[in-house]
Amino acid sequence: MSLLPLVLALPAVAPAQAAPGDLPGGKSNFVVSTGYLTGASPRNWVRLGWYRFDAGSGTVSARTYYWNQRHPAKRIPSGTTPGTDCAPGEKARPPGVRRCPVMTVDGFRDDATERRKGTYRLGSERIDGEQAPTVRIEWATDTPWTETWRVRPGAGIARLEFVRSTKATSGQGYGSNAPFTERRAMETVRRHKPRIHLDLDSWEHGKAQPPETGGFGQGNFTVCGGRATYCMTYLQPPKAGNCGRGCGQAAGDTTIQYYLTRVGVHDRRDTYWHWCTCLAPADPSVCYGGNSHVKPMLQVIDDSRTFRGWVGVEASFSPAGKRDDDMLGVFRMTDWPKPRAEDRPTRRQVPNTEKS
């Protein structure tokens, strides 16, 4: 297992000194993903980053990554190649994933390039038939840019639920008073007992897709050994319906290769990479170099420094240059609250890595 060293200087953020009621859900430090996912290509984009609220001044600052179809980013190595203990190949017993350099999207190994500041105001409005607390952000930018989020307080954590924006169409956010430098190793992630839920808004095949829900199944993964607890892998067993769109209905191998690794040593960056084995079937040593799924993520950490999941984006741009083949998404994988589909059963479920 190899990991290229990367040190990203992030200021330690102490909990805000103002009254908790002056902050969204009483929390100052949020990880947030947003996206514009309704337009025809190449208009769509995703953002991922950190929001810090300052109750004393009523201001909010953001540092975000930005990926868009007008300037499609390529896939690059994350710096991690798993060892044979967690990537023995499909012919091993028990079978495992292939030993491939884990990929992420260009730019995510570097510091976030976007910086912006603004003001925020706490309020309330009627949402889904009930009066709910909200936060409205107005960014100090050349063109009008506002965001309104429903604030859902929890135990040691607060959730931002997207309501509207002058730029984005989707969003996910979670906050606490833990510093942004706080993160947890993959062994802690794998041992996390509560079920991790998925909510996803996505754009692919040239259009926005229906919202999807599912689960993560962290207990299925194998954490790489030694001191390298920053990576884990999972070979999803054959399953009817998997990979038919990518490989054709005649695909004989419906297993999926999953990799999850740390990107930021001193912050919360992780990256999630997966692809259908049938896309590179010729040799068990082959690593797929085509239109795989690359998903930058930020860990959600609560006030007690407990791992609670991730917010993330998909920024998978077609290497062939066909923008309608791009795959973009905004999602959360967290243990709270339950997925939208459990409240609204008509929404379809996305295939996931949980045991059936």
Side-chain angles (χ1 to χ4, degrees):
M1 166 109 24
S2 63
L3 178 73
L4 300 179
L6 174 66
V7 178
L8 176 64
L10 289 175
V13 179
Q17 300 301 309
D22 296 330
L23 293 164
K27 310 305 176 188
S28 58
N29 301 330
F30 285 76
V31 289
V32 178
S33 59
T34 59
Y36 180 85
L37 301 173
T38 61
S41 57
R43 298 174 56 195
N44 301 281
W45 55 264
V46 291
R47 282 182 165 92
L48 177 67
W50 301 265
Y51 288 10
R52 182 190 177 191
F53 293 86
D54 185 340
S57 63
T59 60
V60 57
S61 58
R63 295 178 297 115
T64 52
Y65 296 93
Y66 174 52
W67 296 283
N68 67 88
Q69 289 185 297
R70 295 188 186 279
H71 301 93
K74 62 183 180 181
R75 293 161 182 78
I76 63 168
S78 65
T80 298
T81 299
T84 55
D85 61 327
C86 59
E90 303 104 290
K91 291 187 176 181
R93 292 293 177 267
V97 304
R98 298 180 184 181
R99 189 168 186 262
C100 296
V102 181
M103 306 301 284
T104 189
V105 63
D106 195 14
F108 195 50
R109 293 187 58 196
D110 304 319
D111 194 6
T113 57
E114 290 191 324
R115 300 285 193 278
R116 61 185 178 277
K117 295 183 178 181
T119 58
Y120 73 93
R121 183 175 71 250
L122 303 181
S124 68
E125 63 179 84
R126 197 159 186 82
I127 301 172
D128 293 334
E130 62 181 4
Q131 201 68 19
T134 60
V135 59
R136 183 181 188 275
I137 299 171
E138 185 171 348
W139 298 110
T141 52
D142 293 337
T143 58
W145 188 349
T146 62
E147 298 172 6
T148 299
W149 303 81
R150 176 176 180 165
V151 181
R152 190 182 294 273
I157 198 170
R159 185 184 185 197
L160 298 181
E161 298 178 352
F162 183 82
V163 177
R164 72 181 70 89
S165 170
T166 54
K167 289 187 179 291
T169 59
S170 302
Q172 298 283 348
Y174 282 85
S176 72
N177 291 320
F180 290 134
T181 51
E182 197 77 28
R183 64 166 293 118
R184 289 293 167 263
M186 290 303 161
E187 182 61 38
T188 302
V189 172
R190 190 187 67 81
R191 291 180 178 178
H192 188 67
K193 295 299 183 183
R195 183 175 187 262
I196 291 181
H197 309 287
L198 166 72
D199 271 317
L200 166 69
D201 293 319
S202 63
W203 186 98
E204 58 183 34
H205 307 296
K207 61 183 179 180
Q209 301 297 313
E212 299 177 352
T213 64
F216 179 62
Q218 63 274 18
N220 296 331
F221 280 72
T222 298
V223 176
C224 300
R227 295 179 297 171
T229 61
Y230 46 75
C231 182
M232 61 184 189
T233 65
Y234 173 54
L235 180 67
Q236 182 173 318
K239 185 176 180 181
N242 281 357
C243 304
R245 180 173 286 175
C247 298
Q249 296 300 323
D253 189 344
T254 59
T255 61
I256 301 177
Q257 314 266 336
Y258 287 94
Y259 306 77
L260 199 159
T261 189
R262 178 186 73 186
V263 173
V265 177
H266 301 294
D267 59 57
R268 301 191 193 177
R269 286 173 298 155
D270 290 333
T271 196
Y272 190 32
W273 181 49
H274 57 91
W275 45 278
C276 292
T277 306
C278 57
L279 294 170
D283 186 325
S285 66
V286 170
C287 301
Y288 181 54
N291 203 20
S292 58
H293 296 270
V294 282
K295 300 177 179 179
M297 306 189 299
L298 298 175
Q299 289 190 3
V300 175
I301 304 293
D302 69 15
D303 285 349
S304 66
R305 292 5 183 214
T306 299
F307 170 82
R308 303 295 297 273
W310 300 270
V311 299
V313 299
E314 178 162 11
S316 305
F317 299 98
S318 171
K322 297 177 64 177
R323 299 283 64 86
D324 280 359
D325 289 342
D326 295 341
M327 299 174 289
L328 304 179
V330 172
F331 64 90
R332 64 99 180 188
M333 294 195 298
T334 61
D335 61 17
W336 173 81
K338 63 184 180 181
R340 295 175 301 198
E342 294 183 21
D343 294 315
R344 302 173 183 176
T346 56
R347 286 178 170 164
R348 66 188 178 97
Q349 294 279 322
V350 65
N352 59 70
T353 62
E354 291 186 306
K355 294 178 180 177
S356 56

